[in-house]
Amino acid sequence: MAFTFYVTKLLNFSNILYICSEMETSTNMDKPMNRIKEVLKERGIKQTWLAERLDRSFCIVTSYVCNRRQPSLEVLFGIAKILNIDPKELIGNKS
């Protein structure tokens, strides 16, 4: 049980490092960018639905979606979990 916990934490840490490096290398007027808007559009999901699931205001979610503001890593992982997607897919350019 302890080994599984350690491996899970290690994998989460490697995802965080990857996400941080992607946010640093994304260039659009030197601001980190996310792909939340594209993912929501691809899946036909409304921002209001995501806001309800995240228990955040519509205004906050809109600021994430429009890249006026970047979600914390905790929120980013929450969005990824809700959308059933790898957090890496929410950061930077689609590869």
Side-chain angles (χ1 to χ4, degrees):
M1 186 70 163
F3 179 74
T4 304
F5 176 77
Y6 176 76
V7 170
T8 301
K9 289 295 179 189
L10 184 62
L11 291 175
N12 284 339
F13 183 70
S14 77
N15 278 340
I16 289 169
L17 290 177
Y18 173 83
I19 288 168
C20 289
S21 70
E22 281 295 308
M23 290 179 92
E24 288 174 5
T25 59
S26 298
T27 55
N28 185 353
M29 294 184 268
D30 295 329
K31 290 184 182 177
M33 302 299 287
N34 66 60
R35 295 190 58 251
I36 298 170
K37 184 175 191 172
E38 291 85 359
V39 173
L40 292 177
K41 186 175 180 179
E42 288 168 5
R43 295 175 179 223
I45 297 173
K46 303 283 184 190
Q47 293 177 39
T48 51
W49 180 88
L50 182 59
E52 289 171 5
R53 297 306 178 284
L54 275 175
D55 196 28
R56 302 267 192 238
S57 73
F58 175 76
C59 292
I60 293 293
V61 171
T62 297
S63 67
Y64 298 154
V65 170
C66 295
N67 280 295
R68 287 191 302 265
R69 191 177 167 167
Q70 295 303 314
S72 67
L73 288 175
E74 180 181 350
V75 172
L76 187 73
F77 274 79
I79 293 169
K81 185 175 181 177
I82 289 167
L83 298 176
N84 195 26
I85 190 170
D86 188 326
K88 295 174 188 176
E89 294 295 317
L90 294 174
I91 300 298
N93 297 327
K94 188 174 182 178
S95 301

